[in-house]
Amino acid sequence: MNIHSLVQLLVVIEECTKSENVVEELRRAVHSYGFEYYGLLRHLKQNHDPWGLVLAGHWPENWPQTYVAKKYVLIDPTVRYLAQAQRPFRWKESLAAYRRDPHQRRMEQMMADAHAHGLRDGYIFPIHGKSGVLGNLSVGGGPVELSPVEMSLFETVARKAFWRLLDLKGEAKSLESASSVNMPLTRRELEILHYLADGLTSMEISKVLSISNHTVDWYMNGLQDKLKAKNRQQAVALAFRHGLVT
């Protein structure tokens, strides 16, 4: 499949009337570029079961069980990096971003385990909404070099397939309304809000984001002001009500 075929795929996905057709078109596109495995997922957080959020995908045998059994979702660098990513990225970029993280050794162990299962290299294409990341397409297997144009097109294909599948499931409108709440929060504020909703303290958030505890508190005070919340607990409750976190 070449760049022209990816552009054509956008039209084909839009015209699909069944979910299985969307999945098949996406699978063909991924495999034609040399990727053996892929997953189109709703937004994944560190307390989620990732396999319950899959809209479409194919992974190496036993990898989902290994991932869950070893609780890799708690330290997965791609999951953490996805929360702040504004563009598509390569898996190894996420590991490099946490070179000084206290969980670095465990992250390296996870990536080595993934490599042993055949997930040697790959990319993630974030799917954004107004409230932040709504989902992503992850593709991988052996090393594949994508040009900037191909990465941009894959990101567009991921977004198109994501919304088309949700539309065919009758879930697109509810997600759109949740993601279109007019809350002028910055990327960093949304990131901190998600960690706050996960139950992390200011100290824990500061370590994850490599910023000071006082800086986290400053952002949280700003969040409370914007959400008109009396305290952090109410800020989280309002964030869930407005669809800013899920």
Side-chain angles (χ1 to χ4, degrees), residues 22-210:
V22 177
V23 173
E24 176 58 20
E25 293 294 342
L26 180 60
R27 184 196 66 79
R28 286 175 56 194
V30 168
H31 287 179
S32 69
Y33 261 90
F35 298 109
E36 300 167 68
Y37 307 106
Y38 77 101
L40 182 64
L41 295 84
R42 299 170 187 267
H43 178 48
L44 172 63
K45 296 192 296 183
Q46 290 175 301
N47 62 346
H48 277 162
D49 168 16
W51 313 112
L53 300 171
V54 175
L55 295 173
H58 171 63
W59 296 107
E61 186 178 1
N62 296 326
W63 175 243
Q65 295 88 338
T66 299
Y67 190 92
V68 171
K70 295 187 177 181
K71 298 182 179 179
Y72 282 148
V73 71
L74 298 176
I75 52 86
D76 188 339
T78 66
V79 174
R80 289 176 58 178
Y81 198 64
L82 181 62
Q84 61 187 15
Q86 297 298 306
R87 58 172 181 79
F89 60 91
R90 212 159 183 165
W91 293 349
K92 59 186 178 183
E93 287 182 53
S94 64
L95 185 60
Y98 298 106
R99 194 174 293 113
R100 299 178 182 177
D101 191 276
H103 300 293
Q104 180 199 5
R105 183 167 295 182
R106 183 120 165 81
M107 290 179 184
E108 291 174 344
Q109 177 188 348
M110 190 211 89
M111 297 299 257
D113 208 346
H115 191 283
H117 279 80
L119 297 168
R120 301 183 297 281
D121 193 12
Y123 298 82
I124 286 185
F125 303 92
I127 299 164
H128 292 97
K130 290 186 178 180
S131 64
V133 179
L134 299 179
N136 76 88
L137 171 66
S138 183
V139 297
V144 175
E145 296 297 328
L146 293 179
S147 70
V149 172
E150 288 170 325
M151 289 186 69
S152 179
L153 282 172
F154 256 104
E155 183 179 22
T156 304
V157 166
R159 186 166 57 248
K160 176 67 73 174
F162 179 83
W163 284 110
R164 189 61 184 144
L165 282 173
L166 288 181
D167 189 34
L168 291 171
K169 291 174 179 289
E171 300 174 14
K173 288 186 178 179
S174 60
L175 186 57
E176 281 177 331
S177 61
S179 66
S180 62
V181 177
N182 185 25
M183 285 290 174
L185 303 185
T186 66
R187 177 184 61 78
R188 179 65 90 187
E189 286 173 334
L190 283 167
E191 190 176 15
I192 287 177
L193 186 57
H194 277 92
Y195 284 122
L196 183 63
D198 283 342
L200 273 66
T201 64
S202 294
M203 185 65 70
E204 290 169 332
I205 295 173
S206 69
K207 290 180 180 178
V208 169
L209 299 180
S210 298

